[in-house]
Amino acid sequence: MDNGARQYDVKGNINYIVNHTNMLDVLVALAEEAAELSQAALKLARAEKLVKHPTPVSGMEALDNLTEEYTDVVLCAKTLNLHVNGSLLCKKAERWAQRLEEVENNG
């Protein structure tokens, strides 16, 4: 397959990655990308001036970087065949909303 065709074959590329790496390689990549995602989120907070720690990076640049790092994490998750647990997602969203409601009612 030439590179032009390969760039649009996400499933094929993921299969290639799975067949040419091992679980440890992908877990290490996931940990690294997750750390970079964390840094990108912090940088966006700084770029949007939500904290008193300025950065020369623009909000758009920081958002683009956050999106790229999130995509890297999703790629690693797909390579590990991880999926969002819908039930767990609902519970976590409910808990977050409850905590916000408690702060609003008690604050």
XYZ file of all heavy atoms in Angstrom:
827
model
N 0.850 -1.173 0.000
C 0.000 0.000 0.000
C 0.894 1.234 0.000
O 1.823 1.347 0.787
C -0.877 -0.048 1.255
C -1.728 1.166 1.442
S -2.733 1.142 2.961
C -3.577 -0.395 2.846
N 0.607 2.187 -0.863
C 1.427 3.399 -0.894
C 1.003 4.332 0.235
O -0.045 4.187 0.846
C 1.353 4.084 -2.258
C 0.009 4.732 -2.570
O -0.595 5.321 -1.661
O -0.433 4.657 -3.728
N 1.862 5.299 0.535
C 1.595 6.202 1.656
C 0.316 7.005 1.475
O -0.351 7.319 2.445
C 2.776 7.142 1.876
C 3.925 6.447 2.569
O 3.741 5.398 3.181
N 5.111 7.016 2.463
N -0.025 7.358 0.239
C -1.250 8.114 -0.012
C -2.475 7.337 0.412
O -3.378 7.871 1.059
N -2.534 6.062 0.073
C -3.666 5.228 0.469
C -3.621 4.913 1.957
O -4.645 4.859 2.625
C -3.681 3.943 -0.341
N -2.428 4.716 2.493
C -2.277 4.350 3.907
C -2.790 5.447 4.831
O -3.360 5.162 5.872
C -0.823 4.039 4.214
C -0.611 3.748 5.702
C 0.747 3.257 6.019
N 0.715 1.825 5.834
C 1.770 1.061 5.761
N 2.969 1.591 5.828
N 1.663 -0.227 5.619
N -2.616 6.707 4.459
C -2.990 7.778 5.375
C -4.485 7.808 5.661
O -4.911 8.358 6.663
C -2.506 9.137 4.886
C -3.315 9.752 3.763
C -2.739 11.089 3.325
O -1.541 11.270 3.251
N -3.602 12.020 3.045
N -5.313 7.202 4.826
C -6.754 7.186 5.041
C -7.247 5.850 5.581
O -8.420 5.678 5.831
C -7.490 7.531 3.748
C -7.141 8.916 3.258
C -6.320 9.106 2.162
C -7.624 10.039 3.929
C -5.987 10.381 1.733
C -7.296 11.319 3.507
C -6.477 11.478 2.403
O -6.151 12.737 1.988
N -6.353 4.901 5.796
C -6.713 3.570 6.260
C -6.389 3.430 7.736
O -5.452 2.730 8.125
C -5.972 2.510 5.424
C -6.363 1.091 5.787
O -7.428 0.904 6.416
O -5.598 0.177 5.449
N -7.165 4.101 8.581
C -6.882 4.118 10.015
C -6.916 2.712 10.584
O -6.007 2.308 11.315
C -7.878 5.042 10.766
C -7.676 4.958 12.262
C -7.751 6.465 10.270
N -7.946 1.953 10.262
C -8.062 0.593 10.789
C -6.876 -0.261 10.360
O -6.292 -0.987 11.164
C -9.378 -0.040 10.333
C -9.676 -1.348 10.996
C -11.057 -1.850 10.631
C -11.368 -3.142 11.354
N -12.721 -3.607 11.077
N -6.485 -0.151 9.097
C -5.330 -0.896 8.606
C -4.051 -0.467 9.290
O -3.203 -1.301 9.622
N -3.897 0.831 9.509
C -2.703 1.334 10.197
C -2.668 0.874 11.649
O -1.601 0.512 12.157
C -2.633 2.856 10.115
C -2.231 3.335 8.733
O -1.501 2.655 8.025
N -2.719 4.487 8.350
N -3.817 0.864 12.316
C -3.862 0.373 13.692
C -3.500 -1.109 13.725
O -2.729 -1.543 14.582
C -5.229 0.659 14.346
C -5.368 2.168 14.594
C -5.395 -0.127 15.648
C -6.733 2.610 15.057
N -4.023 -1.873 12.791
C -3.669 -3.297 12.714
C -2.173 -3.464 12.491
O -1.545 -4.348 13.085
C -4.461 -4.004 11.613
C -5.895 -4.241 12.008
O -6.230 -4.362 13.179
N -6.760 -4.301 11.012
N -1.597 -2.638 11.651
C -0.150 -2.698 11.401
C 0.621 -2.411 12.691
O 1.576 -3.120 13.032
C 0.241 -1.699 10.303
C 1.692 -1.806 9.907
C 2.083 -2.691 8.913
C 2.665 -1.033 10.535
C 3.425 -2.805 8.543
C 4.000 -1.140 10.181
C 4.375 -2.029 9.182
O 5.698 -2.148 8.828
N 0.191 -1.380 13.422
C 0.837 -1.031 14.686
C 0.752 -2.197 15.664
O 1.742 -2.576 16.286
C 0.207 0.247 15.290
C 0.494 1.460 14.409
C 0.704 0.480 16.721
C -0.371 2.671 14.717
N -0.442 -2.778 15.794
C -0.643 -3.905 16.709
C 0.290 -5.061 16.351
O 0.881 -5.690 17.233
C -2.115 -4.361 16.695
C -2.296 -5.712 17.366
C -3.010 -3.303 17.342
N 0.426 -5.317 15.063
C 1.241 -6.453 14.615
C 2.739 -6.190 14.656
O 3.529 -7.125 14.523
C 0.822 -6.870 13.211
C -0.561 -7.490 13.195
O -0.935 -8.208 14.124
N -1.331 -7.199 12.166
N 3.142 -4.937 14.813
C 4.570 -4.609 14.796
C 5.067 -3.984 16.097
O 6.180 -3.442 16.147
C 4.883 -3.699 13.605
C 4.761 -4.411 12.301
N 3.559 -4.544 11.642
C 5.669 -5.078 11.564
C 3.742 -5.240 10.536
N 5.017 -5.583 10.469
N 4.247 -4.040 17.137
C 4.641 -3.574 18.464
C 4.166 -4.617 19.468
O 3.593 -5.631 19.106
C 4.011 -2.211 18.820
O 2.584 -2.342 18.810
C 4.449 -1.110 17.885
N 4.391 -4.331 20.719
C 3.830 -5.180 21.761
C 3.069 -4.295 22.737
O 3.100 -3.068 22.639
C 4.925 -6.005 22.457
C 5.980 -5.125 23.097
O 5.674 -4.194 23.823
N 7.244 -5.425 22.826
N 2.397 -4.926 23.678
C 1.556 -4.179 24.600
C 2.366 -3.164 25.403
O 1.907 -2.038 25.639
C 0.817 -5.131 25.533
C -0.219 -4.470 26.390
S -1.113 -5.703 27.332
C -2.523 -4.766 27.836
N 3.566 -3.547 25.811
C 4.396 -2.618 26.583
C 4.711 -1.369 25.770
O 4.634 -0.247 26.293
C 5.690 -3.292 27.047
C 6.633 -2.404 27.862
C 5.946 -1.848 29.111
C 7.887 -3.177 28.233
N 5.046 -1.532 24.493
C 5.325 -0.377 23.633
C 4.139 0.591 23.617
O 4.312 1.809 23.727
C 5.599 -0.814 22.188
C 6.886 -1.574 22.018
O 7.813 -1.380 22.819
O 6.965 -2.374 21.053
N 2.950 0.045 23.490
C 1.756 0.889 23.373
C 1.399 1.504 24.726
O 1.000 2.667 24.792
C 0.575 0.108 22.766
C -0.640 1.000 22.622
C 0.959 -0.476 21.404
N 1.567 0.757 25.808
C 1.305 1.324 27.135
C 2.261 2.470 27.449
O 1.853 3.493 28.013
C 1.407 0.236 28.207
C 0.268 -0.777 28.216
C 0.596 -1.929 29.160
C -1.055 -0.127 28.590
N 3.522 2.312 27.074
C 4.497 3.390 27.280
C 4.106 4.607 26.441
O 4.142 5.747 26.922
C 5.926 2.900 26.956
C 6.909 4.055 26.874
C 6.381 1.878 27.989
N 3.713 4.358 25.198
C 3.273 5.467 24.339
C 2.045 6.153 24.932
O 1.954 7.389 24.948
C 2.978 4.960 22.930
N 1.097 5.360 25.448
C -0.108 5.928 26.056
C 0.247 6.798 27.258
O -0.270 7.912 27.402
C -1.068 4.815 26.477
C -2.325 5.258 27.234
C -3.168 6.218 26.406
C -3.141 4.033 27.645
N 1.126 6.312 28.112
C 1.529 7.097 29.284
C 2.176 8.415 28.858
O 1.879 9.478 29.427
C 2.486 6.283 30.153
N 3.043 8.349 27.862
C 3.712 9.559 27.375
C 2.703 10.536 26.781
O 2.732 11.738 27.073
C 4.756 9.188 26.326
C 5.488 10.372 25.751
C 6.483 9.979 24.669
O 7.055 8.879 24.734
O 6.674 10.803 23.753
N 1.808 10.020 25.954
C 0.818 10.893 25.311
C -0.157 11.470 26.332
O -0.577 12.623 26.215
C 0.073 10.139 24.205
C 0.949 9.670 23.057
C 1.715 10.774 22.341
O 1.378 11.972 22.485
O 2.680 10.441 21.621
N -0.511 10.690 27.352
C -1.409 11.190 28.400
C -0.738 12.332 29.167
O -1.392 13.327 29.514
C -1.817 10.062 29.339
N 0.557 12.193 29.421
C 1.293 13.265 30.093
C 1.326 14.517 29.210
O 1.155 15.640 29.710
C 2.711 12.802 30.423
N 1.522 14.322 27.917
C 1.527 15.465 26.991
C 0.147 16.100 26.901
O 0.031 17.335 26.782
C 2.029 15.022 25.618
C 3.511 14.677 25.612
C 4.010 14.107 24.295
O 3.223 14.022 23.328
O 5.195 13.740 24.241
N -0.906 15.298 26.989
C -2.268 15.830 26.998
C -2.481 16.702 28.232
O -3.051 17.794 28.142
C -3.285 14.679 26.963
C -4.759 15.064 27.057
C -5.184 15.948 25.882
C -5.621 13.808 27.129
N -1.999 16.239 29.365
C -2.095 17.018 30.599
C -1.390 18.363 30.451
O -1.941 19.415 30.810
C -1.467 16.211 31.746
O -1.397 16.972 32.913
N -0.188 18.343 29.907
C 0.565 19.582 29.707
C -0.159 20.515 28.734
O -0.193 21.737 28.940
C 1.970 19.264 29.185
C 2.850 18.575 30.198
C 3.136 19.456 31.405
O 3.465 20.620 31.272
N 2.988 18.890 32.581
N -0.758 19.938 27.690
C -1.474 20.755 26.704
C -2.707 21.410 27.330
O -3.033 22.558 27.016
C -1.864 19.908 25.491
N -3.387 20.698 28.228
C -4.550 21.275 28.909
C -4.123 22.446 29.789
O -4.773 23.499 29.814
C -5.255 20.204 29.736
N -3.018 22.271 30.505
C -2.498 23.358 31.333
C -2.071 24.553 30.490
O -2.310 25.712 30.851
C -1.328 22.854 32.180
C -1.694 21.845 33.268
C -0.439 21.217 33.852
C -2.539 22.489 34.353
N -1.454 24.280 29.351
C -1.007 25.364 28.466
C -2.210 26.143 27.934
O -2.166 27.375 27.834
C -0.183 24.789 27.316
C 0.367 25.821 26.346
C 1.470 26.668 26.946
C 2.738 25.880 27.025
N 3.911 26.695 27.345
N -3.304 25.441 27.609
C -4.500 26.130 27.135
C -5.074 27.025 28.230
O -5.488 28.159 27.953
C -5.555 25.134 26.642
C -6.857 25.741 26.117
C -6.599 26.722 24.964
C -7.814 24.641 25.677
N -5.074 26.558 29.466
C -5.538 27.400 30.574
C -4.699 28.668 30.668
O -5.231 29.763 30.890
C -5.489 26.617 31.890
N -3.398 28.527 30.472
C -2.512 29.691 30.503
C -2.765 30.598 29.305
O -2.829 31.824 29.442
C -1.061 29.247 30.526
C -0.653 28.577 31.833
C 0.743 28.012 31.780
N 1.708 29.075 31.522
C 2.932 28.858 31.044
N 3.346 27.625 30.771
N 3.753 29.860 30.838
N -2.901 30.004 28.117
C -3.098 30.790 26.897
C -4.410 31.576 26.941
O -4.493 32.689 26.424
C -3.071 29.872 25.671
N -5.413 30.990 27.584
C -6.716 31.659 27.704
C -6.762 32.617 28.896
O -7.809 33.157 29.219
C -7.831 30.617 27.805
C -8.030 29.799 26.538
C -8.528 30.635 25.376
O -9.277 31.621 25.604
O -8.181 30.303 24.223
N -5.599 32.761 29.562
C -5.464 33.679 30.697
C -6.431 33.334 31.833
O -6.972 34.220 32.509
C -5.610 35.121 30.249
C -4.521 35.535 29.266
C -4.727 36.927 28.738
C -3.662 37.381 27.781
N -3.136 36.472 26.805
N -6.636 32.034 32.042
C -7.486 31.576 33.137
C -6.714 31.482 34.442
O -7.303 31.313 35.511
C -8.094 30.209 32.780
C -8.930 30.187 31.495
C -9.366 28.769 31.162
C -10.123 31.119 31.612
N -5.385 31.584 34.327
C -4.495 31.589 35.491
C -3.495 32.724 35.313
O -3.299 33.221 34.210
C -3.755 30.231 35.649
C -4.738 29.113 35.958
C -2.938 29.902 34.422
N -2.862 33.114 36.401
C -1.880 34.208 36.343
C -0.493 33.650 36.091
O 0.414 33.772 36.912
C -1.922 35.008 37.638
C -3.217 35.747 37.838
C -3.233 36.513 39.137
C -4.565 37.203 39.311
N -4.627 37.904 40.586
N -0.336 33.023 34.952
C 0.945 32.432 34.547
C 0.990 32.525 33.018
O 0.630 31.576 32.324
C 1.002 30.980 35.032
C 2.336 30.350 34.815
N 2.540 29.021 35.036
C 3.528 30.826 34.389
C 3.787 28.706 34.763
N 4.405 29.804 34.368
N 1.390 33.672 32.493
C 1.288 33.928 31.049
C 2.166 33.006 30.203
O 3.148 32.430 30.666
C 1.742 35.380 30.911
C 2.513 35.679 32.134
C 2.014 34.774 33.211
N 1.764 32.871 28.959
C 2.517 32.117 27.958
C 2.432 32.872 26.639
O 1.417 33.517 26.362
C 1.958 30.686 27.793
O 2.708 29.999 26.787
C 0.500 30.680 27.384
N 3.472 32.790 25.818
C 3.406 33.443 24.511
C 2.556 32.672 23.500
O 2.266 33.157 22.418
C 4.874 33.502 24.071
C 5.535 32.379 24.777
C 4.810 32.248 26.096
N 2.136 31.467 23.851
C 1.340 30.636 22.951
C -0.079 31.194 22.877
O -0.674 31.544 23.902
C 1.323 29.169 23.458
C 0.397 28.310 22.629
C 2.730 28.604 23.465
N -0.618 31.274 21.665
C -1.985 31.782 21.499
C -2.994 30.717 21.914
O -2.684 29.519 21.966
C -2.235 32.175 20.036
O -2.367 31.007 19.229
N -4.207 31.160 22.179
C -5.276 30.232 22.520
C -5.524 29.223 21.416
O -5.737 28.033 21.686
N -5.477 29.667 20.155
C -5.709 28.754 19.026
C -4.598 27.719 18.928
O -4.867 26.533 18.700
C -5.830 29.543 17.713
C -6.197 28.679 16.519
S -7.718 27.730 16.727
C -8.931 29.008 16.569
N -3.360 28.159 19.097
C -2.235 27.210 19.065
C -2.363 26.185 20.188
O -2.145 24.989 19.975
C -0.900 27.946 19.234
C -0.470 28.764 18.049
C 0.775 29.575 18.370
O 0.731 30.393 19.314
O 1.789 29.388 17.668
N -2.726 26.660 21.366
C -2.859 25.761 22.514
C -4.007 24.777 22.307
O -3.890 23.597 22.641
C -3.064 26.576 23.786
N -5.113 25.252 21.736
C -6.247 24.363 21.455
C -5.875 23.326 20.401
O -6.223 22.145 20.531
C -7.468 25.176 21.012
C -8.720 24.365 20.698
C -9.170 23.550 21.913
C -9.827 25.294 20.221
N -5.164 23.750 19.376
C -4.706 22.814 18.345
C -3.809 21.739 18.949
O -3.919 20.553 18.625
C -3.954 23.542 17.231
C -4.852 24.357 16.320
O -6.094 24.190 16.375
O -4.314 25.179 15.553
N -2.930 22.154 19.857
C -2.029 21.198 20.504
C -2.803 20.248 21.408
O -2.531 19.042 21.436
C -0.945 21.934 21.288
C 0.090 20.977 21.828
O 0.158 20.747 23.025
N 0.899 20.404 20.952
N -3.787 20.765 22.128
C -4.622 19.915 22.977
C -5.346 18.876 22.130
O -5.397 17.695 22.487
C -5.623 20.769 23.759
C -6.552 20.017 24.714
C -5.765 19.407 25.868
C -7.635 20.946 25.237
N -5.879 19.298 21.003
C -6.578 18.381 20.100
C -5.631 17.302 19.577
O -5.985 16.121 19.528
C -7.202 19.163 18.924
O -8.113 20.131 19.450
C -7.925 18.250 17.963
N -4.413 17.704 19.216
C -3.437 16.733 18.717
C -3.075 15.712 19.796
O -3.029 14.508 19.530
C -2.175 17.447 18.241
C -1.129 16.473 17.721
C 0.114 17.152 17.167
O 0.108 18.378 16.952
O 1.099 16.423 16.959
N -2.838 16.172 21.006
C -2.458 15.259 22.082
C -3.614 14.335 22.452
O -3.413 13.149 22.731
C -1.948 16.024 23.300
C -0.706 16.859 23.044
C 0.475 16.080 22.470
O 0.531 14.845 22.602
O 1.365 16.722 21.877
N -4.832 14.865 22.440
C -6.009 14.028 22.696
C -6.126 12.944 21.621
O -6.383 11.780 21.927
C -7.278 14.884 22.740
C -8.538 14.063 22.849
C -8.857 13.414 24.042
C -9.411 13.931 21.770
C -10.004 12.643 24.147
C -10.550 13.164 21.878
C -10.853 12.526 23.062
O -11.985 11.768 23.158
N -5.887 13.328 20.377
C -5.934 12.368 19.282
C -4.877 11.287 19.457
O -5.138 10.094 19.207
C -5.760 13.093 17.927
O -6.796 14.074 17.809
C -5.836 12.138 16.754
N -3.691 11.654 19.915
C -2.645 10.670 20.188
C -3.082 9.677 21.264
O -2.844 8.471 21.146
C -1.347 11.358 20.627
C -0.656 12.115 19.506
O -0.948 11.842 18.323
O 0.176 12.986 19.817
N -3.738 10.179 22.316
C -4.230 9.309 23.381
C -5.308 8.363 22.830
O -5.300 7.163 23.125
C -4.760 10.129 24.579
C -5.548 9.267 25.552
C -3.604 10.826 25.288
N -6.207 8.889 22.027
C -7.260 8.056 21.435
C -6.652 6.975 20.539
O -7.082 5.816 20.574
C -8.278 8.920 20.655
C -9.226 8.064 19.832
C -9.065 9.799 21.621
N -5.641 7.330 19.767
C -4.977 6.345 18.913
C -4.382 5.220 19.755
O -4.551 4.039 19.440
C -3.894 7.002 18.058
C -3.029 6.054 17.230
C -3.874 5.218 16.271
C -1.964 6.838 16.477
N -3.696 5.562 20.824
C -3.133 4.534 21.707
C -4.244 3.668 22.297
O -4.115 2.437 22.365
C -2.310 5.168 22.821
S -0.757 5.921 22.267
N -5.333 4.305 22.717
C -6.455 3.555 23.289
C -7.052 2.600 22.254
O -7.343 1.436 22.568
C -7.526 4.519 23.802
N -7.205 3.066 21.036
C -7.729 2.198 19.978
C -6.765 1.051 19.694
O -7.194 -0.078 19.455
C -8.013 2.998 18.707
C -9.231 3.884 18.804
C -9.513 4.584 17.496
C -10.803 5.364 17.558
N -12.005 4.533 17.662
N -5.476 1.335 19.739
C -4.475 0.297 19.507
C -4.546 -0.770 20.605
O -4.334 -1.950 20.344
C -3.071 0.928 19.436
O -3.070 1.880 18.362
C -2.005 -0.102 19.153
N -4.883 -0.348 21.822
C -5.050 -1.285 22.934
C -6.454 -1.893 22.978
O -6.775 -2.653 23.873
C -4.758 -0.571 24.262
C -3.307 -0.185 24.494
C -3.192 0.785 25.655
C -2.460 -1.435 24.730
N -7.286 -1.515 22.017
C -8.672 -1.987 21.924
C -9.491 -1.577 23.152
O -10.329 -2.327 23.634
C -8.730 -3.505 21.708
C -10.040 -3.942 21.100
O -10.701 -3.180 20.403
N -10.440 -5.165 21.374
N -9.206 -0.383 23.655
C -9.972 0.168 24.765
C -11.195 0.896 24.222
O -11.127 1.518 23.157
C -9.126 1.162 25.564
C -7.898 0.603 26.265
C -7.118 1.743 26.916
C -8.285 -0.437 27.298
N -12.277 0.825 24.959
C -13.513 1.491 24.558
C -14.090 2.212 25.763
O -13.894 1.793 26.905
C -14.531 0.480 24.023
C -14.024 -0.324 22.884
N -13.957 0.165 21.608
C -13.517 -1.576 22.837
C -13.443 -0.759 20.809
N -13.170 -1.829 21.532
N -14.837 3.258 25.512
C -15.512 3.972 26.590
C -16.616 3.073 27.126
O -17.391 2.499 26.364
C -16.099 5.310 26.083
C -16.960 5.962 27.154
C -14.988 6.242 25.646
N -16.670 2.943 28.439
C -17.720 2.196 29.106
C -18.868 3.171 29.323
O -18.783 4.072 30.167
C -17.183 1.648 30.431
C -18.215 0.896 31.233
O -19.366 1.292 31.315
N -17.781 -0.179 31.864
N -19.931 3.029 28.537
C -21.050 3.968 28.581
C -21.685 4.082 29.948
O -22.021 5.181 30.404
N -21.833 2.956 30.637
C -22.423 2.954 31.967
C -21.541 3.718 32.947
O -22.022 4.535 33.740
C -22.615 1.511 32.435
O -23.071 1.473 33.755
N -20.251 3.467 32.889
C -19.312 4.164 33.765
C -19.277 5.656 33.440
O -19.230 6.496 34.341
C -17.917 3.543 33.635
C -16.840 4.048 34.573
C -17.240 3.878 36.029
C -15.530 3.324 34.289
N -19.334 5.987 32.152
C -19.357 7.385 31.745
C -20.580 8.095 32.327
O -20.468 9.213 32.854
C -19.353 7.492 30.213
C -19.358 8.895 29.633
C -18.072 9.638 29.988
C -19.529 8.830 28.121
N -21.727 7.442 32.275
C -22.950 8.031 32.841
C -22.803 8.261 34.335
O -23.180 9.316 34.852
C -24.148 7.134 32.567
S -24.695 7.135 30.857
N -22.247 7.277 35.051
C -22.063 7.409 36.497
C -21.110 8.542 36.831
O -21.346 9.323 37.765
C -21.535 6.101 37.083
C -22.555 4.999 37.129
C -21.935 3.714 37.662
C -22.913 2.559 37.534
N -22.309 1.286 37.945
N -20.018 8.646 36.081
C -19.041 9.699 36.351
C -19.611 11.083 36.046
O -19.364 12.040 36.785
C -17.755 9.435 35.582
C -16.977 8.261 36.170
C -15.607 8.148 35.580
C -14.786 7.139 36.333
N -14.236 7.656 37.598
N -20.374 11.196 34.965
C -21.006 12.474 34.623
C -22.027 12.857 35.691
O -22.117 14.027 36.097
C -21.668 12.385 33.248
N -22.771 11.873 36.173
C -23.755 12.132 37.222
C -23.062 12.603 38.504
O -23.490 13.572 39.145
C -24.570 10.863 37.512
C -25.608 11.041 38.599
C -26.386 9.767 38.886
O -26.061 8.701 38.330
O -27.320 9.855 39.698
N -21.961 11.942 38.878
C -21.225 12.312 40.089
C -20.668 13.728 39.978
O -20.739 14.516 40.924
C -20.108 11.305 40.346
C -19.373 11.559 41.631
C -18.388 10.472 41.975
N -17.958 9.735 40.803
C -17.258 8.622 40.822
N -16.892 8.110 41.959
N -16.900 8.016 39.718
N -20.122 14.066 38.809
C -19.571 15.414 38.598
C -20.683 16.451 38.730
O -20.534 17.482 39.407
C -18.893 15.475 37.233
C -18.065 16.692 36.961
C -17.940 17.817 37.719
C -17.242 16.913 35.822
N -17.091 18.727 37.119
C -16.654 18.184 35.943
C -16.947 16.163 34.692
C -15.793 18.718 34.986
C -16.086 16.692 33.746
C -15.515 17.951 33.890
N -21.812 16.178 38.079
C -22.943 17.107 38.142
C -23.444 17.252 39.576
O -23.764 18.367 40.017
C -24.064 16.623 37.216
N -23.497 16.145 40.315
C -23.938 16.203 41.712
C -22.997 17.057 42.547
O -23.449 17.841 43.390
C -24.028 14.801 42.305
C -25.223 14.015 41.840
C -25.197 12.576 42.335
O -24.176 12.067 42.789
N -26.339 11.907 42.222
N -21.707 16.901 42.318
C -20.725 17.695 43.075
C -20.865 19.179 42.772
O -20.771 20.024 43.678
C -19.310 17.214 42.775
C -19.018 15.869 43.403
C -17.664 15.353 43.021
N -17.421 14.062 43.655
C -16.447 13.245 43.309
N -15.597 13.570 42.350
N -16.301 12.097 43.911
N -21.099 19.508 41.507
C -21.309 20.912 41.138
C -22.568 21.454 41.802
O -22.578 22.584 42.314
C -21.400 21.051 39.621
C -20.104 20.843 38.842
C -20.386 20.790 37.346
C -19.109 21.939 39.159
N -23.616 20.638 41.791
C -24.873 21.055 42.405
C -24.694 21.285 43.912
O -25.206 22.260 44.459
C -25.940 19.985 42.156
C -27.329 20.381 42.610
C -28.360 19.331 42.260
O -28.148 18.542 41.327
O -29.399 19.313 42.952
N -23.917 20.400 44.560
C -23.669 20.558 46.000
C -22.937 21.866 46.285
O -23.266 22.576 47.236
C -22.838 19.378 46.522
C -23.620 18.096 46.623
C -22.733 16.887 46.936
O -21.536 17.082 47.254
O -23.251 15.757 46.846
N -21.938 22.189 45.456
C -21.193 23.439 45.637
C -22.122 24.632 45.442
O -22.080 25.597 46.216
C -19.996 23.497 44.661
C -19.385 24.889 44.625
C -18.953 22.471 45.056
N -22.970 24.586 44.434
C -23.892 25.697 44.164
C -24.900 25.861 45.305
O -25.252 26.979 45.665
C -24.621 25.465 42.844
C -23.711 25.618 41.639
C -24.360 25.190 40.325
O -25.551 24.805 40.329
O -23.663 25.260 39.295
N -25.358 24.747 45.857
C -26.371 24.813 46.933
C -25.749 25.188 48.268
O -26.444 25.757 49.123
C -27.109 23.480 47.053
C -28.002 23.219 45.862
O -28.416 24.146 45.167
N -28.286 21.960 45.602
N -24.476 24.866 48.462
C -23.832 25.138 49.755
C -22.909 26.342 49.710
O -22.364 26.728 50.731
C -23.027 23.914 50.217
C -23.918 22.725 50.481
O -25.050 22.889 50.933
N -23.424 21.537 50.206
N -22.711 26.911 48.521
C -21.748 27.990 48.390
C -22.367 29.299 48.432
O -22.047 30.331 48.749
